[in-house]
Structures are given as structure tokens and as C-alpha cells.
Amino acid sequence: MPRRFPVAPPAGGTPPYRSLARLREVLRAGVGGALLLAAAACAGCSSVPLPDDDIVTGSIKPHPASYRLPEGDAPKGIAASDWTAAKLALDQALVSREADISVPWENADTGARGTATPIGTVRSGGCRDFMIAVVDGKVADRWVHGEACRARGETVLSQVRVLGRA
């Protein structure tokens, strides 16, 4: 068993362990106060609203975003909003430089989806065949086939017809 030695208080004061306890209390209060002040200072900076920057340079002119949809009416049995989404995907596929590309499309409003795929090479006059798959869950999945001709930045769809099951 280890030997214990009694510690006597100093000659005119408090025992040594009490002075350390008091020092710890003072340090805790000081550190806590410092942390509270630091947090208040940081929070104060983020809560002050900054004024908007009123400087207008005119270096960039705003342009409204718009897509040029390929021209062509929806084939019989395809909803107009589904056809719009499919035509956007077809236009992206036609301008892509990748070979054998299929661009997926989806209409969140109706739940219809599919892919738009250019077929073959570009013929004279900038025309190319295409296939669009249509899956809408209402009727059997089907393919839409047609010809897309690009001229002067616009695309015109012709000979568009529904082929049947996809």
C-alpha cells in the first residue's frame, strides 16, 4: 500500500487545493466570456444586410432564353406537350456532332418519355431521317418516323408518321 503524507495548510491562509479551484473558476468564466464575445462578433457581421450594388456596366446584354422548336405538328395519337418535349430532344440530337446519338426526353406533366435519334447521314438539302420513341403508359409504346431538314438555323419536320410498337 502506498504511503500518504498529510498536507497541512500554509501558515496564515487557505489550503492549496482551494486556491487552485478558485483559479479554475476564474479561468472558466473568462474563457466562456471570451467565446461568447467572439460568437456575438461573428454573428453580428453576418446579420447586417448589405446594400445591393447599383453599378450597371452594360458589358453584358441580357437575352431572353428561348429554344427554336422544329416546325411540324404532332402526329395523331401523340399529345402536343409530349411532342414539344420530343422535338426539343430531336433538335439537340440533330445539332450534336456525335455519331449514333440518342437524346432522351421526358414530359413531367404527362409522364411520357422516350428518345430522339437521327438516322443515317445528312443528305443534300440538309435533310436527315429520325426516329422518336414514345412511351406514355396509356397505349402501347410506339415509334414516330420522319424527316428533319435544317436550313438557316431552323428545323422543319416532314413526312412524320407513327409506325407502331416500339
Side-chain angles (χ1 to χ4, degrees):
M1 173 151 286
R3 295 173 86 188
R4 295 188 184 194
F5 298 101
V7 177
T14 59
Y17 64 88
R18 286 198 180 167
S19 64
L20 289 177
R22 178 70 182 138
L23 179 63
R24 284 187 190 137
E25 286 178 29
V26 170
L27 285 176
R28 280 189 192 143
V31 169
L35 287 175
L36 184 61
L37 284 174
C42 290
C45 294
S46 65
S47 65
V48 175
L50 297 176
D52 289 337
D53 188 6
D54 293 329
I55 298 174
V56 177
T57 62
S59 61
I60 299 175
K61 296 184 182 195
H63 295 286
S66 64
Y67 295 104
R68 289 191 170 238
L69 280 175
E71 293 180 22
D73 295 329
K76 187 175 181 178
I78 308 294
S81 61
D82 296 341
W83 187 240
T84 299
K87 288 194 302 185
L88 280 172
L90 178 62
D91 196 52
Q92 289 175 357
L94 290 169
V95 298
S96 173
R97 304 231 183 259
E98 295 180 42
D100 303 326
I101 185 171
S102 287
V103 175
W105 64 271
E106 181 175 0
N107 184 351
D109 294 335
T110 63
R113 65 189 188 290
T115 56
T117 308
I119 300 171
T121 59
V122 178
R123 297 186 299 275
S124 63
C127 296
R128 189 173 184 184
D129 289 339
F130 68 86
M131 297 284 286
I132 295 177
V134 179
V135 179
D136 61 8
K138 297 174 186 167
V139 296
D141 303 346
R142 54 209 180 276
W143 288 102
V144 176
H145 180 264
E147 180 182 63
C149 297
R150 293 185 59 84
R152 290 176 253 117
E154 293 187 13
T155 305
V156 177
L157 305 181
S158 61
Q159 302 176 18
V160 179
R161 62 191 181 279
V162 178
L163 296 180
R165 293 196 74 145

